[in-house]
Amino acid sequence: MPTNFEVPLYLDYLAVFTWALSGAILGVSKGYDLTGVFVVALLSSVGGSMLRDGIFLNQPPPVVTNPYYLPLILLVTVLVGLFSRLLVTPRLRRHTNNLVDVIDAIGTPAFAVVGMQLSLAAGIPLPGVVLIGAVSGVGGGVLRDLLVGDVPALVQPGHHFALLLVFVCVLFLALTLSLGMSNNLAAWLAVGVFFVARALTVRMDWRSQPLLPPT
């Protein structure tokens, strides 16, 4: 199995930026102050990597080893804070959830790819790589939702979010390990496929159904 996988910094920073942005927007929409918005943005953007590194890879998460993570998250928080009045206008409030979904559709597969690359470099078997990729992708969103008192979207019937993520994880591995595609190109293809598929499921309202009808 190849072990020369390197995490593209631009992809890592893109994931951190988009997840921090979605968390900050959600914090503003919940009526939090600047500190609360920062905490939601922080947990949203680095929660998945903390779960990934702390539970599976047994290494310090990048939020404490990379000197740019916290300043980037703080910058996002300040920018969202400056434009908070615009974000909570009645017109934009109606579109906040859609905006968060669009941002998450970029950050989720980006974090998943980063997690898989680190897992491959650590020599983890392929099923574990897919699991760690999925946790990296959704971990921050799950912790974010729990923090603000929402039921995580991952465990609710919805637009096949988890299945799409597992699919692009497998797709990334197939492109790199089986077809020999470069990591960067395969990563962007995975992000693009997830974004388009996610947009289609929302646009066409393709949803999973609960196993039992609501009581």
Side-chain angles (χ1 to χ4, degrees), residues 37-179:
V37 171
F38 174 76
V39 171
V40 178
L42 176 68
L43 194 57
S44 177
S45 57
V46 302
S49 62
M50 288 192 295
L51 291 174
R52 175 196 71 208
D53 294 338
I55 296 177
F56 297 107
L57 300 182
N58 192 27
Q59 63 185 20
V63 68
V64 297
T65 59
N66 188 313
Y68 299 108
Y69 267 46
L70 288 177
L72 180 59
I73 298 167
L74 181 60
L75 174 63
V76 171
T77 303
V78 171
L79 290 176
V80 171
L82 290 175
F83 295 99
S84 59
R85 292 187 181 276
L86 295 176
L87 294 173
V88 297
T89 58
R91 180 180 178 182
L92 287 181
R93 185 183 288 272
R94 293 194 298 268
H95 301 288
T96 297
N97 289 336
N98 291 335
L99 179 59
V100 171
D101 285 342
V102 169
I103 296 171
D104 285 356
I106 300 173
T108 296
F111 263 142
V113 167
V114 170
M116 285 189 292
Q117 289 178 321
L118 291 173
S119 303
L120 286 167
I124 292 175
L126 293 183
V129 170
V130 174
L131 174 62
I132 294 174
V135 171
S136 299
V138 303
V142 170
L143 295 177
R144 177 196 65 198
D145 292 343
L146 291 173
L147 180 65
V148 301
D150 294 337
V151 177
L154 180 67
V155 299
Q156 299 187 71
H159 294 112
H160 305 285
F161 185 84
L163 289 178
L164 289 177
L165 183 59
V166 171
F167 172 76
V168 297
C169 287
V170 174
L171 175 65
F172 175 80
L173 294 178
L175 292 175
T176 54
L177 300 182
S178 297
L179 300 181

